[in-house]
Amino acid sequence: MRKNSIKNTRINMEVQRELSEILRSGIKDPRIQDKMISVVSAEVTTDLKYCKAYISVLGDDDTVADVLAGLKSATGFIRRELARRVNLRNTPEIQFILDQSIEYGVNMSHLIDRVNRGGVSDEHTDTDGGSGEDDRDLGAYTS
């Protein structure tokens, strides 16, 4: 994979900043408006034709589905606003991708805190793919 140039990194940062601003204040769709949406990162291709915008949504699964549907329907407006705000040779086609890394990190942090307190037994789940190994002795690894 090719390393990003400084120019491409600056474009990614500017597109991310402007997408955040557009999502925060520019869209009047009730599925998007007043929701906690953050643009985690934006990756614009070197030819400026496509952009992958990784977003994080605070809420349950229904809220996430509504926000993604609203973003899909507002893609044309968002692209037009991005073209107006950022002076690029081409305005990229935007693809919104749900990024669950923040949620995953918070969940892992809660699990680590629970293991450190010694309360693993109640919500025990089989994480080894069903091989039958027992994970109840995780408390032994905390010291």
Side-chain angles (χ1 to χ4, degrees):
M1 179 173 240
R2 189 172 166 216
K3 184 178 173 184
N4 279 346
S5 67
I6 293 174
K7 179 181 176 183
N8 198 5
T9 303
R10 285 183 184 172
I11 290 172
N12 290 342
M13 289 174 36
E14 185 66 24
V15 167
Q16 178 183 352
R17 183 175 25 252
E18 291 301 329
L19 282 176
S20 296
E21 181 64 27
I22 292 168
L23 293 180
R24 187 178 61 81
S25 64
I27 298 180
K28 304 299 183 214
D29 190 335
R31 295 175 288 186
I32 301 170
Q33 195 175 21
D34 299 330
K35 302 289 191 286
M36 292 294 294
I37 305 170
S38 62
V39 180
V40 177
S41 69
E43 294 177 2
V44 180
T45 58
T46 54
D47 62 356
L48 305 176
K49 298 254 186 209
Y50 303 100
C51 172
K52 291 182 181 178
Y54 295 94
I55 62 164
S56 177
V57 181
L58 182 65
D60 59 354
D61 292 338
D62 293 335
T63 304
V64 171
D66 285 345
V67 166
L68 288 176
L71 288 174
K72 187 174 182 180
S73 69
T75 301
F77 170 77
I78 296 170
R79 186 176 181 200
R80 186 175 68 240
E81 280 295 307
L82 187 64
R84 190 177 65 78
R85 294 177 184 209
V86 180
N87 186 17
L88 294 174
R89 180 175 53 239
N90 296 322
T91 304
E93 292 181 25
I94 304 168
Q95 177 186 9
F96 291 101
I97 300 171
L98 183 64
D99 183 21
Q100 297 176 332
S101 62
I102 295 173
E103 181 181 341
Y104 179 77
V106 168
N107 187 28
M108 291 304 290
S109 177
H110 287 301
L111 289 174
I112 290 170
D113 289 343
R114 224 175 64 214
V115 167
N116 286 337
R117 284 182 299 206
V120 178
S121 61
D122 288 341
E123 296 180 28
H124 172 66
T125 58
D126 191 15
T127 58
D128 60 354
S131 65
E133 295 178 10
D134 198 4
D135 294 334
R136 283 187 219 142
D137 60 342
L138 286 176
Y141 296 110
T142 60
S143 55

